[in-house]
Amino acid sequence: MHDDTLAIEGRFAGLLVLLYAQPLTMVSQLPVTSVIIEGSQTSMMLGDTPLLLPDPIDKLARQLVARRRGHITIGTSDNSPWLFPGAYAGQPLSSHHLGTRLKRLGIYSRPGRTSALMGLSAQLPAAILTELLGISPETATAWTQEGGHWARYAATLPGRRLGA
């Protein structure tokens, strides 16, 4: 998040996967309008309800919107409707290409997303996960039930003897 030598696109996309459990197919298809800047607050539409981005994620979102660029060879991506413009004018970055970029940063989307869902589901009710993250109510309920199970399991670990 704080390494300015890394591309802002990779940092922000990685945060969406690792903190907000977003699948690469969703991240790659985000329109630039999904970032909502109102005064000093920055929100993001991942589901039905705007998600207020905390500092410093809000600053990364603002920087990305201000200077997003794709890798097009003809035309310009300045007026692209996509948060992550792709190689062809008017097209978003493919989820495959985004995944490749994230792997170069050491971010593997499936385990990262699973870990994020485990953490979020232990903290938030299913209805909130659905509204904020845009996941189905069935998925949110399943993760919330599993999250409670994992939280109980983790709580028992300190009392266990290793090798027993």
Side-chain angles (χ1 to χ4, degrees):
M1 176 170 29
H2 301 290
D3 188 347
D4 291 334
T5 63
L6 300 176
I8 194 166
E9 297 87 358
R11 292 188 299 161
F12 192 72
L15 287 170
L16 291 176
V17 172
L18 297 176
L19 295 179
Y20 300 113
Q22 294 300 294
L24 291 181
T25 52
M26 170 78 163
V27 173
S28 67
Q29 300 286 317
L30 285 170
V32 71
T33 56
S34 64
V35 176
I36 304 161
I37 300 170
E38 295 175 332
S40 63
Q41 291 189 326
T42 306
S43 300
M44 180 137 205
M45 290 297 291
L46 298 174
D48 297 330
T49 303
L51 174 67
L52 185 61
L53 298 177
D55 184 49
I57 300 169
D58 63 338
K59 289 179 180 60
L60 283 176
R62 286 172 180 258
Q63 289 172 9
L64 180 60
V65 168
R67 62 177 195 173
R68 72 189 194 290
R69 61 185 189 285
H71 296 280
I72 64 173
T73 54
I74 300 173
T76 180
S77 62
D78 292 343
N79 58 359
S80 174
W82 307 106
L83 192 56
F84 301 98
Y88 299 104
Q91 296 296 311
L93 184 65
S94 74
S95 59
H96 175 76
H97 196 84
L98 182 58
T100 301
R101 286 186 186 183
L102 292 180
K103 283 178 188 171
R104 284 190 216 124
L105 299 176
I107 299 170
Y108 295 86
S109 64
R110 182 161 293 167
R113 182 169 185 255
T114 298
S115 179
L117 276 171
M118 283 175 27
L120 291 169
S121 65
Q123 299 172 39
L124 299 171
I128 301 297
L129 288 175
T130 297
E131 287 180 25
L132 291 178
L133 303 182
I135 60 177
S136 73
E138 296 80 18
T139 300
T141 300
W143 275 99
T144 301
Q145 290 170 349
E146 286 298 318
H149 171 73
W150 288 319
R152 287 189 302 276
Y153 171 76
T156 66
L157 290 179
R160 291 188 182 178
R161 287 187 357 197
L162 296 177

